């Protein structure tokens, strides 16, 4: 069986340029227009990923969004800080938040795997300053996280971050021919 195509993007802008806000809006658009079914959000820590998930949930639950696209809030079958699952616009939608280094091998909910992975500030400045920590994070990212996408449909991985002076994963991805760097 041939695996579905995986698109890979890096976005590196300084702090304060709304890269996370842009991606949150994009995720809402992708959900509302049936482009993704399972979004995995990975940040440096699980609480940071849960904040991103909470913002997406709030956007989808807004009065205007619900008036135009349907009721997100009442369609939720699971409504936890780290996981939202809904039957929304006749599709099962899953949004999961995790911290970097977490066990993602088991990210298989209702026999489905992520078709959109957002890595948002996954690497900290402190991590980049440690050869061992940055190597371990890069190994987890390439050896575990990137392999958890669904093989059944096209998938997208977006890596948002800042350029650090040393051991910068964003820099490595920007130089990789398989990633589109913005």
């Amino acid at each position: 069986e041939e695996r579905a195509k995986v698109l890979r993007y890096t976005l590196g802008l300084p702090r304060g340029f709304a890269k996370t806000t842009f991606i949150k809006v994009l995720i809402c658009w992708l959900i509302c227009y049936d482009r993704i079914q399972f979004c995995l959000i990975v940040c440096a820590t699980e609480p940071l990923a849960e904040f991103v998930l909470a913002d997406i949930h709030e956007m989808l639950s807004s009065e205007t969004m619900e008036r135009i696209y349907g009721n997100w809030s009442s369609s939720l079958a699971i409504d936890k800080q780290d996981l939202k699952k809904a039957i929304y616009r006749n599709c099962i939608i899953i949004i999961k938040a995790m911290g970097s280094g977490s066990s993602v091998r088991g990210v298989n909910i209702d026999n489905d795997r992520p078709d959109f992975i957002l890595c948002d500030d996954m690497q900290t400045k402190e991590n980049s300053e440690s050869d061992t920590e940055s190597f371990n994070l890069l190994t987890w990212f390439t050896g575990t996280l990137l392999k958890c996408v669904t093989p059944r449909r096209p998938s997208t991985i977006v890596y948002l971050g800042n350029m650090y002076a040393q051991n910068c994963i964003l820099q490595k991805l920007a130089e990789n021919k398989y990633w589109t760097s913005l």
Side-chain angles (χ1 to χ4, degrees), residues 52-82:
V52 174
L53 173 55
D55 287 348
I56 292 168
H57 170 69
E58 189 174 309
M59 290 173 171
L60 290 169
S61 301
S62 74
E63 184 180 329
T64 303
M65 289 289 285
E66 289 196 340
R67 195 173 335 115
I68 295 169
Y69 297 104
N71 196 311
W72 166 259
S73 302
S74 67
S75 68
L76 288 167
I78 299 174
D79 186 7
K80 300 190 317 187
Q81 278 188 306
D82 69 330

Side-chain angles (χ1 to χ4, degrees), residues 128-151:
S128 75
E129 292 170 347
S130 165
D131 292 340
T132 302
E133 285 183 31
S134 62
F135 176 78
N136 289 342
L137 181 60
L138 180 62
T139 302
W140 173 82
F141 176 71
T142 58
T144 303
L145 182 63
L146 296 184
K147 294 180 178 167
C148 80
V149 296
T150 183

